[in-house]
Amino acid sequence: MRCFLLILLFLVGWSVSSASPSSSVTIVASVEPLAMALRQLYGDQAEVVTLLAPNQNPHHLSLSPRQALAVRDADLVVWLGEDAEPPVAALIRRRSGPNLALADLPGAEVRDGSAGHDHAGDHAGHSHSQIDPHLWLAPANMVVLARALAEQDRVPLPAMEPGRFIAAVEAAEQSIAARLAPLQEQAWLTYHHPYAYFQHHFGLADPLVISEQLGAGPSSRRFVTLAARISKSNMRCALLEPEAQGQLVKRLCPNCDLIRLDPLGRDHADSGYSDWLEQVVTPAFVACLQQGP
């Protein structure tokens, strides 16, 4: 009897150890909008982890050892690129697995964040380090990413993708364009300017920008100049990211409604990318621009 039990235990242990465990594929996205797109593309076929925590300032990013391990161990890392995310680039160089950098993909639109010039299609070898990192706010860039994901084989896309994702993004684009078309000439104010990709994609007027650096306010002379321009243009709206200095903006533009919009989507982590763009980003712009004179 004892011999029989030993044999039975051996067979049970062998069957458990030889059974193939359920495979878990992990994709790390450097920022939440990339994670939104990946969740929309992969559904439940991959676990998507956002590297940037909601309480981290992307402009002064310091990554923890835990975040470094997440990058090292991921099956795939999707990020913005070395010029946009130097701290992530240092981790990418230390990992052996595949990665996709959005700024380096053929056909990606990369805007110069220092001078406001765009470099559509300049996807490789750009030497400037002042690119505008908010590439996800151009819907066409996310289509470029989806097609690049379809071409890699480390983490295959589900059936019907990327076609279904691209169709959803294109439908959102059409809806957004129709809603914003009557508002393209409206004046608006922003503290920093993280929305340039979206603004140019949908033909909106250039905003009045308070500061080129998010953490720095305008000088006294510039404050006076800005206040005069705001008063002259009868501006009624300011679109502000969470880190913007709202009280300073209110002093500059006492008649402005302050519309908050996080370009990083940290408050909508459960959204798909196309829904976030259409149902969160666009209503904020519409609410702001409708306040214009």
Side-chain angles (χ1 to χ4, degrees):
M1 182 67 178
R2 184 178 178 183
C3 182
F4 173 77
L5 289 174
L6 289 173
I7 293 172
L8 182 61
L9 287 171
F10 172 79
L11 291 174
V12 170
W14 178 84
S15 64
V16 171
S17 63
S18 63
S20 49
S22 57
S23 61
S24 177
V25 175
T26 301
I27 307 175
V28 166
S30 61
V31 292
E32 191 59 49
L34 295 181
M36 292 177 186
L38 291 167
R39 293 188 190 104
Q40 188 172 345
L41 280 158
Y42 282 96
D44 59 3
Q45 291 196 21
E47 180 187 3
V48 178
V49 176
T50 307
L51 187 66
L52 182 69
N55 62 346
Q56 285 184 296
N57 186 334
H59 298 274
H60 304 284
L61 184 58
S62 178
L63 297 173
S64 69
R66 185 174 181 178
Q67 288 170 309
L69 285 175
V71 171
R72 186 197 68 181
D73 295 339
D75 294 283
L76 176 66
V77 177
V78 179
W79 60 306
L80 301 172
E82 184 169 5
D83 290 343
E85 296 175 310
V88 181
L91 300 181
I92 292 292
R93 286 192 289 268
R94 294 200 293 267
R95 76 177 247 112
S96 58
N99 73 90
L100 285 177
L102 180 53
D104 296 335
L105 296 178
E109 175 191 358
V110 179
R111 299 191 62 84
D112 189 330
S114 60
H117 300 138
D118 67 287
H119 297 269
D122 179 15
H123 58 269
H126 46 79
S127 59
H128 56 82
S129 59
Q130 298 296 319
I131 74 167
D132 183 338
H134 306 88
L135 291 90
W136 60 86
L137 284 171
N141 278 346
M142 304 308 278
V143 171
V144 168
L145 175 62
R147 289 181 172 141
L149 287 165
E151 293 174 0
Q152 58 83 37
D153 55 8
R154 180 65 178 266
V155 186
L157 287 173
M160 308 297 293
E161 296 294 1
R164 185 166 48 189
F165 175 84
I166 293 172
V169 171
E170 291 177 346
E173 277 189 273
Q174 293 177 9
S175 171
I176 295 167
R179 294 172 69 183
L180 293 179
L183 305 170
Q184 288 179 331
E185 302 302 321
Q186 294 289 5
W188 57 295
L189 178 69
T190 183
Y191 191 88
H192 186 43
H193 189 20
Y195 313 110
Y197 287 96
F198 186 90
Q199 170 222 330
H200 285 273
H201 189 83
F202 291 104
L204 302 178
D206 289 332
L208 181 59
V209 179
I210 295 173
S211 175
E212 294 296 333
Q213 299 295 326
L214 187 58
S219 65
S220 299
R221 178 177 296 180
R222 178 163 172 77
F223 187 98
V224 172
T225 301
L226 286 170
R229 289 184 61 184
I230 289 168
S231 177
K232 183 177 180 180
S233 64
N234 197 24
M235 202 167 290
R236 290 289 180 267
C237 170
L239 196 62
L240 305 180
E241 62 271 53
E243 294 82 7
Q245 301 179 35
Q247 292 182 346
L248 185 148
V249 177
K250 201 62 180 175
R251 291 202 305 272
L252 263 175
C253 187
N255 295 323
C256 277
D257 283 343
L258 305 187
I259 307 294
R260 294 285 180 175
L261 174 62
D262 184 3
L264 280 158
R266 289 166 290 189
D267 49 351
H268 289 83
D270 295 332
S271 298
Y273 171 77
S274 57
D275 287 343
W276 174 70
L277 202 67
E278 185 175 5
Q279 299 173 18
V280 178
V281 177
T282 302
F285 270 88
V286 171
C288 183
L289 298 174
Q290 283 181 339
Q291 302 300 319

